[in-house]
């Protein structure tokens, strides 16, 4: 399909990343590269998320950045890349041979995303651009994405508004006796899509999959998954450890655990909310459930208040955990190793809110705080919201934590 035909087809549907935004990101990249790797000559970006960050499109190909220029080389789809990205220099490529013909000799050191590069990709690149060694720029890229621009924050605020509306206002109307976990997750997911969500939760770590989240009833929330998160699910089947079971139906007297992410134009927010279906006053574990849930809310609010410029990330974890009630230690956050995580183009960005993370907060950073407790034989309680670092502490983008509400 010709470029003009494709552009005509999509013109009413796409919203491009502004050129000025891309230029600022590339300038920051070069500035940081010069600080960390003086004399660098070439960096190659192939991970789809970082490619989107710098170009505004996700394609099979490579973004080659040098001190003097940047070119997005695309195998497919070149037409789509030209239509979506405002980057001035986008060129087609048949293989890495195209890069070799254009650039000639490779520099001795190539700068790459080592966490995302496969051995096969590395070998193919090295075949045509035979550099002697390569160096890792994952940490540098992570630090660039950590601080959000006004453009990025606007998208996250839109996501947060959708998140709050659907999980706090609409979800209670969907929670009815007899609905399955999978049905509830999909209904919530659909409501988010209708309001502008981009439809998936994109993960960074290899243990996570790009999915729509989790709805769990009662003890189902205690079923561990491969992903290192506190909540669980049996999943739709053995092969899919997410969404929820299509066979587990909601009954009175069960906790309803909803950890269903949202996102707008690539930028995510994270939010978890827990409801009780039925009259909690009739539950023999009433006091334990309420105490555990209220403790999580206290921890989230305390940690959120520390999200100020100048605060060291590990201090948030350590100071918050000083207030932790040890009677909940067995079921807290998969061993209590973290309280949350940075968030943006992926759900699980670095740093985690945990010990030994020395990053210093600045305005524009965003974090999801998620203290949760697994109550043996009962289910999951707790809360999660996404916050913006400000001079006055964390500003909630997804709504504030609240007490455990009963739905009849």
């Amino acid at each position: 399909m010709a470029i003009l035909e494709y552009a005509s087809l999509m013109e009413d549907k796409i919203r491009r990343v502004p050129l000025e935004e891309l230029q600022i990101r590339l300038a920051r990249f070069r500035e940081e590269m010069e600080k960390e790797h003086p004399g660098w000559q070439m960096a190659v970006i192939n991970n789809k998320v970082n490619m989107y960050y710098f170009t505004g499109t996700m394609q099979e190909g490579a973004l080659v950045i040098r001190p003097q220029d940047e070119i997005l080389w695309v195998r497919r789809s070149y037409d789509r890349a030209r239509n979506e990205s405002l980057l001035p220099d986008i060129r087609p490529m048949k293989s890495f041979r195209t890069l070799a013909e254009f650039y000639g000799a490779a520099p001795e050191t190539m700068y790459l995303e080592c966490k995302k590069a496969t051995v096969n990709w590395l070998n193919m690149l090295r075949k045509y651009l035979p550099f002697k060694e390569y160096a890792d720029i994952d940490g540098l890229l992570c630090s660039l994405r950590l601080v959000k621009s006004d453009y990025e924050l606007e998208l996250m605020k839109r996501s947060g508004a959708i998140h709050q509306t659907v999980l706090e206002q609409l979800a209670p109307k969907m929670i009815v006796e007899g609905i399955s976990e999978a049905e509830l997750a999909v209904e919530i997911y659909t409501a988010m899509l209708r309001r502008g969500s981009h439809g998936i939760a994109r993960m960074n770590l290899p243990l996570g999959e790009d999915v729509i989240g989790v709805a769990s009833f009662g003890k189902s929330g205690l079923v561990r998954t491969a992903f290192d998160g506190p909540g669980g699910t049996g999943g739709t089947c053995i092969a899919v450890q997410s969404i929820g079971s299509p066979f587990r139906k909601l009954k009175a007297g069960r906790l309803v655990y909803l950890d269903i992410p949202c996102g707008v134009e690539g930028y995510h927010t994270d939010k978890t909310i827990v409801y009780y279906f039925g009259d909690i006053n009739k539950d023999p574990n009433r006091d334990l459930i309420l105490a555990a849930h209220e403790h999580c809310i206290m921890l989230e609010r305390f940690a959120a208040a520390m999200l100020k410029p100048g605060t060291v990330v590990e201090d948030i974890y350590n100071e918050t955990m000083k207030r932790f009630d040890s009677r909940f230690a067995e079921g807290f956050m998969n061993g209590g190793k973290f309280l949350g995580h940075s968030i943006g183009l992926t759900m699980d960005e670095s740093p985690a809110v945990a010990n030994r993370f020395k990053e210093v907060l600045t305005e524009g950073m965003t974090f999801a705080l998620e203290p949760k407790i697994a109550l043996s034989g009962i289910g999951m309680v707790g809360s999660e919201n996404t916050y913006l670092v400000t001079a006055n502490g964390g500003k909630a983008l997804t709504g504030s934590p609240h007490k455990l509400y009963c739905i009849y």
Side-chain angles (χ1 to χ4, degrees):
M1 183 181 294
I3 295 173
L4 291 178
E5 291 176 327
Y6 186 87
S8 177
L9 177 66
M10 299 297 292
E11 63 184 1
D12 294 330
K13 301 184 178 70
I14 65 171
R15 294 168 294 277
R16 298 173 180 84
V17 180
L19 176 58
E20 183 181 6
E21 184 78 11
L22 301 178
Q23 291 172 331
I24 290 172
R25 295 172 185 181
L26 288 162
R28 288 177 59 217
F29 174 81
R30 290 188 171 95
E31 181 181 347
E32 293 304 312
M33 283 292 290
E34 209 48 58
K35 289 179 183 177
E36 294 190 20
H37 308 286
W40 71 283
Q41 293 176 275
M42 183 179 291
V44 181
I45 305 295
N46 79 301
N47 172 253
K48 62 182 179 181
V49 175
N50 285 322
M51 182 182 288
Y52 180 77
Y53 182 75
F54 288 116
T55 72
T57 189
M58 292 184 178
Q59 307 301 332
E60 182 187 355
L63 171 64
V64 179
I65 307 175
R66 299 188 295 179
Q68 69 270 31
D69 62 11
E70 65 278 334
I71 301 175
L72 175 59
W73 298 92
V74 181
R75 286 189 63 193
R76 58 179 181 268
S77 163
Y78 174 69
D79 289 353
R80 180 165 184 158
R82 286 288 304 274
N83 187 51
E84 291 178 346
S85 175
L86 294 175
L87 197 73
D89 203 343
I90 302 175
R91 308 187 188 195
M93 63 179 280
K94 292 182 178 180
S95 69
F96 285 125
R97 185 189 301 274
T98 306
L99 273 61
E101 292 170 351
F102 181 84
Y103 293 106
E108 288 196 4
T109 302
M110 190 74 79
Y111 293 89
L112 308 172
E113 306 159 278
C114 294
K115 288 184 179 179
K116 300 297 182 181
T118 65
V119 174
N120 181 64
W121 182 88
L122 180 62
N123 288 339
M124 289 298 293
L125 178 66
R126 207 167 202 167
K127 177 181 178 180
Y128 292 105
L129 290 172
F131 47 89
K132 291 184 178 180
E133 59 183 10
Y134 60 88
D136 180 5
I137 56 171
D138 286 300
L140 185 150
L141 294 172
C142 178
S143 66
L144 288 178
R145 283 168 41 188
L146 184 56
V147 180
K148 311 300 188 297
S149 67
D150 289 343
Y151 168 81
E152 294 172 295
L153 290 175
E154 182 58 34
L155 296 176
M156 293 187 70
K157 289 174 183 177
R158 283 168 52 190
S159 176
I162 296 170
H163 228 154
Q164 182 175 9
T165 297
V166 174
L167 287 188
E168 293 186 7
Q169 299 177 26
L170 302 183
K173 300 172 185 176
M174 304 174 188
I175 298 172
V176 295
E177 187 166 8
I179 194 171
S180 73
E181 293 175 337
E183 287 172 324
L184 180 56
V186 170
E187 284 194 19
I188 292 172
Y189 164 80
T190 302
M192 289 181 179
L193 274 177
R194 287 173 174 162
R195 286 159 178 80
S197 172
H198 60 216
I200 63 167
R202 180 166 281 129
M203 308 303 293
N204 177 43
L205 296 177
L207 292 177
E209 295 184 290
D210 296 354
V211 293
I212 68 173
V214 167
S216 300
F217 303 155
K219 290 184 287 186
S220 175
L222 305 176
V223 180
R224 288 285 169 250
T225 68
F227 185 65
D228 190 23
T233 176
T236 59
C237 61
I238 294 175
V240 180
Q241 299 180 7
S242 61
I243 302 174
S245 169
F247 310 109
R248 188 170 178 81
K249 310 289 185 177
L250 183 58
K251 299 178 182 178
R254 284 182 174 170
L255 290 163
V256 178
Y257 173 84
L258 302 176
D259 186 357
I260 300 180
C262 187
V264 170
E265 297 182 30
Y267 287 86
H268 301 78
T269 52
D270 210 356
K271 181 177 178 68
T272 300
I273 197 164
V274 180
Y275 293 100
Y276 186 93
F277 186 65
D279 186 354
I280 197 169
N281 293 315
K282 296 180 180 179
D283 194 307
N285 297 303
R286 172 191 179 276
D287 292 345
L288 175 62
I289 292 171
L290 291 178
H293 187 76
E294 289 167 5
H295 189 58
C296 289
I297 290 173
M298 182 276 292
L299 294 173
E300 181 180 330
R301 287 175 173 161
F302 182 87
M306 293 188 68
L307 290 173
K308 298 179 180 180
T311 304
V312 178
V313 171
E314 69 170 356
D315 290 346
I316 300 172
Y317 173 81
N318 291 325
E319 290 302 313
T320 302
M321 291 304 293
K322 288 178 182 179
R323 289 150 181 81
F324 179 68
D325 189 334
S326 60
R327 64 178 162 151
F328 299 121
E330 184 177 349
F332 184 66
M333 298 292 290
N334 281 1
K337 296 179 180 179
F338 74 106
L339 287 171
H341 50 87
S342 179
I343 186 170
L345 282 171
T346 61
M347 296 290 299
D348 52 336
E349 304 230 335
S350 183
V353 182
N355 198 18
R356 295 187 296 278
F357 283 87
K358 307 293 186 180
E359 287 87 348
V360 178
L361 299 187
T362 64
E363 291 198 37
M365 293 182 179
T366 49
F367 289 86
L369 300 176
E370 54 172 330
K372 298 167 185 174
I373 295 172
L375 297 174
S376 180
I378 301 172
M380 290 292 301
V381 295
S383 177
E384 179 177 20
N385 285 288
T386 300
Y387 294 87
L388 170 64
V389 175
T390 78
N392 297 318
K395 179 181 179 181
L397 303 181
T398 55
S400 300
H402 60 67
K403 67 179 183 178
L404 187 67
Y405 287 118
C406 293
I407 298 174
Y408 298 92

